[in-house]
Amino acid sequence: MTKPHVDGGYSASVSIRSGRGMASIDRVMRFVPSFPNRRDALRYAADEGTAWARCH
């Protein structure tokens, strides 16, 4: 996910859901770096989310 900044940059975040029903958990990671465009922010979020999923 991305969010545009007022200054024109973008922030990145990723949401990872696991489980089902009442036992589901949604982890949201918001990243500090600011990116010049939406594509770079999405790529960073996808890479970080994939790395986290592989470790857990």
Side-chain angles (χ1 to χ4, degrees):
M1 296 178 281
T2 63
K3 181 177 179 183
H5 291 234
V6 179
D7 68 359
Y10 289 84
S11 61
S13 61
V14 67
S15 172
I16 299 173
R17 182 170 291 187
S18 61
R20 287 187 171 182
M22 295 296 289
S24 67
I25 297 172
D26 192 19
R27 290 170 173 47
V28 177
M29 294 178 268
R30 292 179 179 92
F31 304 108
V32 174
S34 182
F35 300 90
N37 57 59
R38 185 174 182 265
R39 186 184 70 206
D40 289 349
L42 285 172
R43 183 175 300 142
Y44 184 86
D47 290 346
E48 290 295 315
T50 300
W52 184 91
R54 286 183 177 152
C55 291
H56 296 88

